[in-house]
Amino acid sequence: MMNTLTPPADSLYVLLIEDDADTQANLADIVDLDGHYLKAYGTFSQAVADADWQAVSTVILDWKLPDGSASEFLPRLHKLAPHAPVVIVTGFPDLDGAIEALRSGAYDYILKPVNADILRATLGRIARQQRTEAALRRSEQQRHLLAEAVHNLAEGVIITDAQLDPPGPHILFVNEAVTRITGYEAEELIGNSPRILQGPATDGKILHRLKETLARGDTFTAELINYRKGGTPYHVEVLISPVRNPQGQITHYVAAHRDITQLKQAQEKSMQAARLAAIGQMVTGLAHESRNALQRSQACLEMLALELGDDRKDLLDLVERVQRAQNDLHRLYEEVRDYAAPRLLRREVCDIAQVCRSTWSHLKQLYEPKQIRLVEQLEASSHYCYADAFAVGQVIRNILENAIAASPSGGEIRMMTRDATLERGPALEIIIADQGEGIPAEARPRVFEPFFTTKTKGTGLGMAIAKRIVEEHGGLIEIGDTDGPGVAFHVKLPREEP
Amino acid sequence: MSSPLRIAVADDEPELRRYFTIVLPRLGYEVVAVAENGRELLEQCLVTRPDLIITDYNMPEMDGLEATREIARTFAVAVMLVTGYDDRLSPKAGEAEHVHAQVTKPFKMAQLAASITLATERFADQQAGLPVGPRSTTFPGGECLPREFHVNRMAKDQFNRT
């Protein structure tokens, strides 16, 4: 007999409850033949008190025991060791009872005198069955673990069949992340081809390479532009590997999708910043050099005008035209530089209402001929901001210049202020609304792009500069509607130091 | 009534030197020295003792800032600095104690006249021990704005509605 509590694999911990000593000894010998471990008790109550019920893998139960019958004990056994099958040992006269026991959940019965082969076969069957069940349980646990892990991966996982040609491959599985990335529900994707995610900007050459690589049985990796449900493009890094059956045939493909849109945007932003910095340096140099040249030209023009005197009006007219062209050129240089050059903000506590008024008063030459009035509605609790007043003045000036240019003669421009908030704290909002013809909705997002203009005059840099200055302050500039047809520019400036 | 303001000018560009000699007399000033660089300016000023110096900042041999600093050690004089730099990007030159006005190229006659007035007024205030008024700056596109436009530390604001 084995004397260890942990039976070797495939052997059973057999609990024998049998009051007849001969039968007990006989059964012990048979059980021992196959290396099963046996623990024997003479009564049910002894077994209940003493046995290690957790470890018991099979119970052999005598039909008639001194302290009761198997039919009474069966339900209790099911409670004590639900996982252990019960084999009833019974004499022929009790066969009916044994069959009834089978109905109430016994695994099998064996007639006395016990035939060794039959008992061994029964125990062998139980051992195999328990091994299979354990394996199933383990595999179920593992399947559950894998499914949970795949489901909760931050990366999207798509499993398709192996049919590369249309209408395949068919999506068989998507995890949670795929629905999050693509905006499709799993049910919308399953059965479809991953082509549902592709669109006009998806690189056809990459897709071609993808198919070739997969057809060869290799792993494919690339960056693609895919489309979410509703058509928004996103950048995705895909890694697709073939899945083979034990015979080595490809049965599925598994694809990992990583949404790298934000990463791409960050990269583009930093590249854009680097490009702007390089352009900025160049333009600063250019503007500086141009100032010297412009100054020489300016000096010569003024000397020429003085030489010509009032009696050569025809020539003075030409001088005047050259002067205007030079002014335009100068302004263009300065604005390009303003837009592209690094700006050193000199921030201090300043009164934005004062800046707005002062800026308006300096635009007299523009608003007076058109008889445009400024209507103030200053409703903010305070007009102090931590800002570069000169730069903010430039923002207000650029907006006002556009507003004046857009306004009809005799019109009014409204300048409003109110308290607002930005993500990082309290802000002052300045709204400048005109009564012009407005800007069509489709053109509005482009208003802040450099060299966008709806006017015949101007460089088209004014609003791009304004946006840059406002954003360098950590603020926000937007374009909105008014009560009438005109537009309203909203500038939000943070009140505090960042 | 009084004798005209005596001005020394310095610029390494011949066009600008010629310009000053033609334009300044028309504005009612007398040009007493014309220099091509800082060293010449220094030498000539020690002899002519002008009331105002209009000098380019960037010049060979000795720059305008250094030359006028030397001159200001010898005698009190109003100084106006002409620069190609934007004072928003390189503020240091124009903020020197002995510089009373700064004008950024390209400037026009009207700005020149305004800056001369500003320089002499600030110089006079400085000499009299009075608080010196704000500097000036030029806006891209032309007009001359008082610096107070962008430096405003007023404690109370009449428009503040708190």
Side-chain angles (χ1 to χ4, degrees), chain B residues 3-152:
Chain B
S3 57
L5 196 72
R6 299 168 69 252
I7 301 179
V9 296
D11 203 304
D12 54 335
E13 306 273 15
E15 293 89 345
L16 264 289
R17 295 199 295 276
R18 190 168 152 195
Y19 173 75
F20 286 129
T21 55
I22 291 175
V23 165
L24 290 175
R26 294 221 180 198
L27 293 171
Y29 305 118
E30 184 186 352
V31 179
V32 295
V34 180
E36 285 180 31
N37 59 50
R39 188 164 306 285
E40 272 188 28
L41 180 67
L42 176 59
E43 287 165 7
Q44 294 189 28
C45 282
L46 293 181
V47 178
T48 56
R49 298 232 164 191
D51 304 312
L52 169 71
I53 299 169
I54 300 175
T55 178
D56 190 22
Y57 173 47
N58 225 346
M59 289 187 297
E61 305 237 3
M62 186 189 271
D63 71 40
L65 191 66
E66 202 186 332
T68 49
R69 189 179 286 123
E70 283 294 312
I71 295 164
R73 284 202 188 114
T74 317
F75 63 97
V77 61
V79 172
M80 177 178 141
L81 199 63
V82 178
T83 68
Y85 297 111
D86 188 323
D87 73 333
R88 275 169 291 158
L89 294 175
S90 54
K92 302 227 162 38
E95 283 174 6
E97 181 82 356
H98 70 284
V99 176
H100 303 93
Q102 182 190 353
V103 70
T104 306
K105 291 178 182 178
F107 57 83
K108 292 176 184 167
M109 210 188 296
Q111 286 162 263
L112 178 67
S115 294
I116 291 171
T117 309
L118 186 75
T120 52
E121 278 173 2
R122 292 185 82 245
F123 173 70
D125 287 349
Q126 198 182 47
Q127 291 301 299
L130 294 171
V132 177
R135 291 166 191 281
S136 76
T137 191
T138 45
F139 232 129
E143 60 275 57
C144 183
L145 290 181
R147 181 65 174 236
E148 68 198 330
F149 171 69
H150 61 98
V151 182
N152 186 337

